[in-house]
Amino acid sequence: MFYTIIASDKPNSLNQRLQARPDHLQRLQALQDQGRLLLAGPHPTIDSEEPGEAGFSGSLIVAEFSDLPSAQSWANADPYVAAGVYDKVVVKPFKRVFP
């Protein structure tokens, strides 16, 4: 089943985000390589794909896991959590309808 991981960034966490980004992307690439990643990306703080120093307000990941505890465990182990980027992380089951 798919699960959404909806994370909110702490204020002024752009530097921590940039430092932890390679490890964060490596974990996402592993999900992609396993065919389990539906989509992933950050929420720019401003209406721009490249927000610069305005940074990001959080992230969204939709990926396949065996169950909710597995999805929550994976989310809790994210490098952005360890780096103090995320203020809050919510994991929910997701039913894909389109496309």
Side-chain angles (χ1 to χ4, degrees):
M1 179 169 192
F2 284 108
Y3 294 86
T4 59
I5 300 169
I6 307 159
S8 299
D9 285 14
K10 291 179 181 176
N12 304 310
S13 62
L14 181 58
N15 287 335
Q16 293 96 317
R17 176 182 270 273
L18 294 175
Q19 289 176 359
R21 189 170 190 263
D23 292 336
H24 172 77
L25 293 179
Q26 185 177 25
R27 292 180 82 234
L28 291 171
Q29 186 63 55
L31 285 179
Q32 177 71 24
D33 293 346
Q34 296 164 12
R36 297 172 42 207
L37 183 64
L38 184 60
L39 64 92
H43 299 285
T45 301
I46 61 174
D47 190 10
S48 172
E49 287 190 28
E50 298 297 332
E53 294 201 15
F56 300 92
S57 64
S59 301
L60 171 67
I61 299 167
V62 181
E64 188 174 19
F65 294 92
S66 59
D67 54 31
L68 182 57
S70 297
Q72 186 68 61
S73 178
W74 188 91
N76 291 344
D78 194 287
Y80 284 170
V81 172
V85 174
Y86 290 154
D87 183 41
K88 180 179 178 182
V89 178
V90 176
V91 180
K92 297 181 180 185
F94 178 77
K95 181 181 176 186
R96 182 178 179 179
V97 176
F98 292 104

